[in-house]
Amino acid sequence: MPKPGVPARDAQDSPKKNLLLAALPPADYDHLLPQLEAFPLELGWAVYESGGEQSHLYFPTDSIVSLLYVMENGASAEIAVVGNEGAVGIALFMGGESTPSRAVVQSAGQAYRLKAKAAKAEFDRHGALQILLLRYTQALITQMAQTAVCNRHHTIEQQLCRWLLLSIDRLKSNKLTMTQDLIANMLGVRREGVTEAAGKLQAAGLIEYSRGKIAVLDRARLEQRACECYAVVKRESDRLLLTPPVTVPAAHEATA
Amino acid sequence: MSAVLRPTPRATGTRADLKAGAKAGAKAGARPTSPAVIENNLLAALPRKDYQGIAADLQTVVLVYGDILYEPGEVLKHVYFPNNALVSLLTVVDGHLALEVGLIGREGILGVPLILGSRISPVRALVQGGGAAMRMDAARFLHHFRLSPALQKESYRYTFALMAQISQTAGCNRFHLLEQRLARWLLMTQDRVKSAQFRMTHEFLGHMLGVRRVGVTKAARNLQECGLIRYARGDISILDRAGLEAASCRCYSIVRDMNEPSRTHNGGNHNGVNHNRVNHNGGNHNGGNHNDAFPGMSSPRQK
């Protein structure tokens, strides 16, 4: 959707592939578009580091970013994944100081970004973007809380199912490029645990796994095998983000 | 318990606090009124004018240990600004397994979904320390929220601190020993109730920490043997706070520092809590105790 004054972009590569941007009313979207910069996210790149400055707010389109809790010794565990349903850099507009988490690109792809100052200014306009970002924040909180309880109470296999489902939802494809080491890092477990769980899922015909590529073959059965955490996160996310189109200024009363 | 958790009497308050409280009292008439001193830090951080604008809609309520204020999926009817009450946010899975993902006391507000434009609580809110809180009708809160940029700012800032707490909890549960987590939890509780003594059963602690009762018993015994706490028939006394800080994981100090407003305008009262800024154990907590940190090492994982 190229606009005058903005470099034409491939239709495949529209900011509207991000659901938050897509949900903006046309006027808000047009206002924002010239400020959005297309920015490719490379696998493993740190969008922000623990305690570091956040220079931009990112809206992934077909990339996935993991928010990781980092220990002093470098061990990490994923606390949430962000894809085309969300934004990375919540601290920018929530007024929070630095956090002990880092954001790392888990699946390479495209994102659009807004400079920190512009993001803050947009947020403070009390328009549709603010409403959407706040709702997304609520969905993110739900995901974090569910991840915490899932880590505590569910088996690695269940967690792996949840993680695969959350990932492919954000990719619109059933294939992931991902090593077992990386998955182990995400889930905060030993590699052997991931190997064993992935082996079981493969033997059952739910996934196919080879040389760092995972294909989900049977989504329905993967959902059955996952713990309820996947469904809870999905439901809350859909409720907050897919219902009804944003109308301004009905702030804070817009959710169903 | 009420003897332990009764509101702390305060002899002094800032002029603004006193005036605001008096005005609120006058407006509220015979209803339970706002206290003369603003005990909740989020309310205390508001400029006087903003506080006065909302004070009439604040009602002092007493929250009772064990009360459930919201269940997951429930529409929020009120927000609560705890004074000395303490509320746990619990995520429940499989119908019965719970885990505390957040702990809200005088530093915050219960009702974050409203701030974010949702009316529905995704978690269970359980009163974990009985005591007083300021309650406001949800619709009135939204009304004031729209009118007061200061209330918005403080609410967003607190929401972000709560998110940090939730993510810290997720990581902490994954990597840290039960004993460290118990120490952290006791310290967070002490900070919020401002008392070194409170009541807590092993079973309740098990729910909070997401482990079985026997695990809690063992961890509490270890802390007791080190002389850090005394734990008898559900009564917990913190005997050695510095020692308990050293025994806890770093997550405690990280979340505490985020919750501590750097501003002190309007006499935000932090009296009573020893915010020891010394970076105890320099980040090298307990050496190899949890260096590679594995799930289930603190307690058997439950299916």
Side-chain angles (χ1 to χ4, degrees):
Chain A
M1 300 236 144
K3 297 281 165 188
V6 176
R9 291 178 183 126
D10 185 356
Q12 290 284 307
D13 178 30
S14 159
K16 289 203 173 181
K17 283 172 74 182
N18 178 281
L19 300 181
L20 296 179
L21 297 176
L24 289 172
D28 292 63
Y29 182 77
D30 291 346
H31 171 79
L32 205 58
L33 192 60
Q35 306 176 65
L36 287 171
E37 177 194 359
F39 193 84
L41 297 182
E42 283 173 30
L43 181 67
W45 185 66
V47 180
Y48 61 81
E49 288 286 356
S50 172
E53 283 272 307
Q54 300 182 15
S55 63
H56 293 81
L57 180 64
Y58 289 82
F59 298 92
T61 51
D62 59 1
S63 51
I64 303 181
V65 177
S66 275
L67 308 186
L68 300 168
Y69 166 90
V70 191
M71 301 257 303
E72 292 145 35
N73 63 14
S76 63
E78 187 175 79
I79 45 184
V81 286
V82 184
N84 69 337
E85 87 294 359
V88 182
I90 300 292
L92 283 177
F93 55 83
M94 296 299 278
E97 285 149 39
S98 62
T99 61
S101 69
R102 66 198 293 253
V104 176
V105 179
Q106 178 212 304
S107 180
Q110 191 69 22
Y112 288 81
R113 65 180 198 177
L114 259 184
K115 285 196 173 120
K117 208 174 154 194
K120 187 83 181 79
E122 271 304 306
F123 186 81
D124 290 340
R125 283 176 68 218
H126 300 279
L129 188 66
Q130 185 194 47
I131 296 170
L132 288 162
L133 286 171
L134 290 174
R135 280 197 212 166
Y136 171 67
T137 302
Q138 177 64 38
L140 186 63
I141 288 177
T142 303
Q143 193 191 149
M144 286 176 170
Q146 203 70 35
T147 305
V149 75
C150 190
N151 282 349
R152 187 78 233 156
H153 288 303
H154 292 142
T155 63
I156 294 179
E157 187 184 313
Q158 288 175 311
Q159 293 182 51
L160 180 61
C161 292
R162 165 181 62 85
W163 187 86
L164 288 170
L165 289 164
L166 286 173
S167 296
I168 61 171
D169 280 354
R170 284 159 177 76
L171 286 177
K172 310 298 173 214
S173 146
N174 69 334
K175 289 191 181 63
L176 282 168
T177 304
M178 183 57 64
T179 66
Q180 295 199 357
D181 277 333
L182 272 173
I183 297 177
N185 274 342
M186 297 295 168
L187 298 180
V189 299
R190 269 189 294 232
R191 190 178 179 284
E192 295 76 25
V194 173
T195 306
E196 194 192 329
K200 278 190 200 162
L201 296 179
Q202 177 153 275
L206 305 185
I207 64 169
E208 191 176 65
Y209 189 92
S210 72
R211 278 164 304 197
K213 301 242 188 265
I214 303 175
V216 172
L217 303 178
D218 189 340
R219 193 196 154 96
R221 278 168 63 216
L222 201 61
E223 283 189 29
Q224 284 169 18
R225 205 126 161 180
C227 44
E228 70 193 50
C229 299
Y230 167 69
V232 169
V233 171
K234 178 100 170 69
R235 200 163 54 233
E236 180 73 352
S237 191
D238 288 352
R239 180 181 77 79
L240 288 161
L241 301 175
L242 301 182
T243 52
V246 172
T247 47
V248 184
H252 306 298
E253 286 184 326
T255 40
Chain B
M1 178 181 62
S2 58
V4 181
L5 292 180
R6 72 174 175 271
T8 318
R10 286 180 211 295
T12 58
T14 65
R15 180 180 295 240
D17 290 343
L18 290 166
K19 275 196 179 170
K23 183 170 177 190
K27 267 194 188 173
R31 280 193 323 174
T33 56
S34 306
V37 173
I38 308 169
E39 288 193 60
N40 178 277
N41 295 347
L42 198 153
L43 292 176
L46 296 176
R48 177 178 156 193
K49 185 169 72 65
D50 292 68
Y51 179 75
Q52 286 175 344
I54 71 171
D57 285 320
L58 288 169
Q59 195 182 5
T60 307
V61 293
V62 174
L63 303 180
V64 179
Y65 171 76
D67 273 1
I68 291 174
L69 301 178
Y70 320 132
E71 284 286 4
E74 213 170 282
V75 172
L76 306 180
K77 294 192 182 67
H78 297 97
V79 300
Y80 297 84
F81 300 90
N83 293 348
N84 61 336
L86 201 51
V87 181
S88 281
L89 302 183
L90 298 169
T91 299
V92 186
V93 288
D94 308 331
H96 66 290
L97 296 172
L99 178 72
E100 181 183 87
V101 292
L103 185 58
I104 301 174
R106 64 179 63 246
E107 84 293 354
I109 174 176
L110 178 67
V112 160
L114 289 170
I115 294 166
L116 299 175
S118 169
R119 293 173 174 276
I120 296 173
S121 175
V123 292
R124 173 181 293 165
L126 174 70
V127 178
Q128 188 243 97
M134 307 307 291
R135 187 176 78 176
M136 191 187 285
D137 175 76
R140 295 305 298 162
F141 173 75
L142 288 175
H143 169 78
H144 292 303
F145 186 77
R146 278 185 215 106
L147 297 179
S148 167
L151 182 58
Q152 290 168 22
K153 184 172 158 241
E154 291 302 324
S155 299
Y156 293 146
R157 195 186 55 74
Y158 175 70
T159 299
F160 191 74
L162 183 68
M163 288 175 80
Q165 198 191 115
I166 294 171
S167 56
Q168 200 76 24
T169 304
C172 186
N173 282 331
R174 175 55 100 192
F175 290 118
H176 293 147
L177 290 169
L178 177 57
E179 199 175 305
Q180 296 177 303
R181 298 200 290 126
L182 177 61
R184 171 175 80 107
W185 194 88
L186 294 173
L187 289 164
M188 286 175 66
T189 301
Q190 183 184 9
D191 287 350
R192 286 161 177 78
V193 300
K194 292 192 180 175
S195 166
Q197 293 178 308
F198 37 89
R199 252 193 96 67
M200 207 57 65
T201 65
H202 286 214
E203 192 178 0
F204 191 85
L205 278 170
H207 278 301
M208 295 297 142
L209 299 170
V211 298
R212 284 186 294 205
R213 195 177 165 281
V214 290
V216 175
T217 307
K218 190 162 162 271
R221 196 188 302 131
N222 288 348
L223 294 178
Q224 179 154 284
E225 278 167 9
C226 295
L228 306 180
I229 64 168
R230 194 173 56 229
Y231 193 178
R233 284 174 306 249
D235 284 314
I236 296 179
S237 304
I238 294 177
L239 304 177
D240 178 356
R241 191 182 158 90
L244 204 57
E245 287 194 17
S248 83
C249 44
R250 195 179 60 118
C251 302
Y252 167 68
S253 57
I254 290 172
V255 172
R256 178 198 58 195
D257 291 348
M258 289 207 60
N259 272 325
E260 215 172 87
S262 44
R263 307 157 316 288
T264 52
H265 60 273
N266 205 7
N269 39 46
H270 307 293
N271 44 326
V273 184
N274 174 22
H275 286 311
N276 180 1
R277 284 298 195 157
V278 178
N279 184 11
H280 58 268
N281 63 33
N284 180 20
H285 39 296
N286 299 354
N289 236 358
H290 58 95
N291 50 356
D292 50 10
F294 231 69
M297 84 191 217
S298 54
S299 73
R301 302 187 89 205
Q302 299 167 38
K303 293 269 166 66

